Amino acid sequence: MTPPIRLAAVTTVAAAAGRLSDRTRILVFTGAGISTESGIPDFRGPHGLWKRLDPNDFTLERWVTSESFRIEAWGRRFAPDRPVYRPNDGHRAIADLWRTGHMIGCITQNIDGLHQAAGLPDEGVAEVHGNASGIVCYAEGHDVDVDDVRSRWEDGETDPRCAGCGSILKSTTVLFGENLPPGAVARAQGWTDGADAVIAVGSTLSVYPAAYFPLEIAGRGDPFVIVNEGPTDHDRLATVRIEGKAGDVLPELVGALIAG
Ligand code: APR
């Protein structure tokens, strides 16, 4: 079914809050743009990673076949001077929206764990592109202890292997060409089915299947609010499109919804 074309009728936060004021099962869908104010670059924005790196280098096939790619990645991950990122006001506003009973859940494309660091509980987040915190045995899929891998890397094991079967290891980040985590996808679909509105924040809405979740809600006519700096691939479907930084817009929007 072709989703309805609805030009964004309003662009103010107050009017957007008016469209969401009676909604109690809002799905929040986030992309890399919500974390740029925490110092993490996005992918397709003006200074995005894909402006200087080739996404085709970040495939599962390259991880499995290129020892040098794995060594470089483990080196970045375990580097003692690796930056520590912290949540920003956008993440905190979503946690507030959850705490005040307006949300069904948050589907995030991000792997940085900043929603949870801002206070959104694990049961409120579906990380459909995985996360950068875990490590698994590639051959058998089971979790492995991250501290043990780190200490073996620090002792010189630059391409750490599974202590049980000797397989290569892999971060729990989803690489291109890899299936999305079935548990997160099932949770995301359940929330999509049960949502009564969606707010998409900091995403070009250009990567599938993740982008299908907000589009499914828009397609059945529920309010579709886009908060983004710059255009997205689906602005024409938005009930409301607000141009701006997540860290500025979300506290104002959530504040208006909580005030009722
Ligand atoms: N506030 C609002 N929007 C912002 C901010 C901000 N502070 N900073 C950047 N943006 C906007 C950018 O201008 C861009 O339009 O957020 C959007 C981020 O879009 P992408 O870089 O395409 O990120 P995302 O949509 O999350 O990408 C999806 O692509 O490469 C894959 O796996 C990767 O999960 C990622 C997926």
Side-chain angles (χ1 to χ4, degrees):
M1 180 185 85
T2 310
I5 294 183
R6 295 177 297 182
L7 298 180
V10 290
T11 58
T12 65
V13 170
R19 299 294 179 94
L20 297 172
S21 60
D22 61 342
R23 305 291 155 153
T24 59
R25 300 189 313 281
I26 299 171
L27 176 74
V28 177
F29 179 86
T30 63
I34 197 171
S35 295
T36 56
E37 293 165 79
S38 296
I40 303 176
D42 63 16
F43 299 97
R44 299 172 188 81
H47 310 291
L49 281 176
W50 298 151
K51 295 263 190 292
R52 56 186 188 273
L53 299 174
D54 180 356
N56 294 317
D57 287 343
F58 296 83
T59 62
L60 179 63
E61 195 265 340
R62 184 144 186 261
W63 180 265
V64 173
T65 58
S66 169
E67 183 189 42
S68 59
F69 181 52
R70 294 195 302 272
I71 289 172
E72 188 192 330
W74 292 123
R76 280 197 307 273
R77 173 164 182 164
F78 293 132
D81 60 348
R82 175 189 168 122
V84 175
Y85 299 107
R86 304 205 189 294
N88 61 58
D89 288 344
H91 298 105
R92 282 187 283 274
I94 294 170
D96 291 342
L97 195 64
W98 169 269
R99 263 194 295 275
T100 51
H102 291 80
M103 277 174 67
I104 194 167
C106 173
I107 299 174
T108 188
Q109 300 171 97
N110 301 338
I111 60 172
D112 54 35
L114 292 184
H115 285 300
Q116 295 93 320
L120 198 55
D122 283 337
E123 64 267 21
V125 187
E127 295 173 311
V128 293
H129 290 166
N131 63 62
S133 56
I135 297 176
V136 294
C137 165
Y138 175 68
E140 297 171 345
H142 59 75
D143 292 331
V144 299
D145 182 84
V146 173
D147 291 334
D148 171 61
V149 178
R150 177 185 291 106
S151 65
R152 287 195 276 130
W153 180 85
E154 287 165 347
D155 291 344
E157 194 176 341
T158 56
D159 184 17
R161 298 300 173 114
C162 173
C165 72
S167 161
I168 60 170
L169 299 176
K170 186 185 162 304
S171 159
T172 44
T173 298
V174 175
L175 296 171
F176 289 110
E178 189 176 2
N179 292 329
L180 303 190
V185 171
R187 175 180 281 187
Q189 189 60 58
W191 288 342
T192 298
D193 295 344
D196 59 7
V198 55
I199 304 173
V201 185
S203 177
T204 49
L205 300 171
S206 62
V207 170
Y208 300 88
Y212 286 131
F213 295 117
L215 295 179
E216 195 172 312
I217 298 170
R220 59 174 183 246
D222 286 319
F224 178 28
V225 175
I226 291 177
V227 177
N228 204 61
E229 271 191 320
T232 78
D233 283 12
H234 298 288
D235 287 338
R236 67 185 178 80
L237 299 180
T239 315
V240 181
R241 188 199 181 286
I242 303 177
E243 174 73 24
K245 287 189 178 304
D248 297 334
V249 173
L250 288 183
E252 190 185 344
L253 176 56
V254 170
L257 291 175
I258 292 174

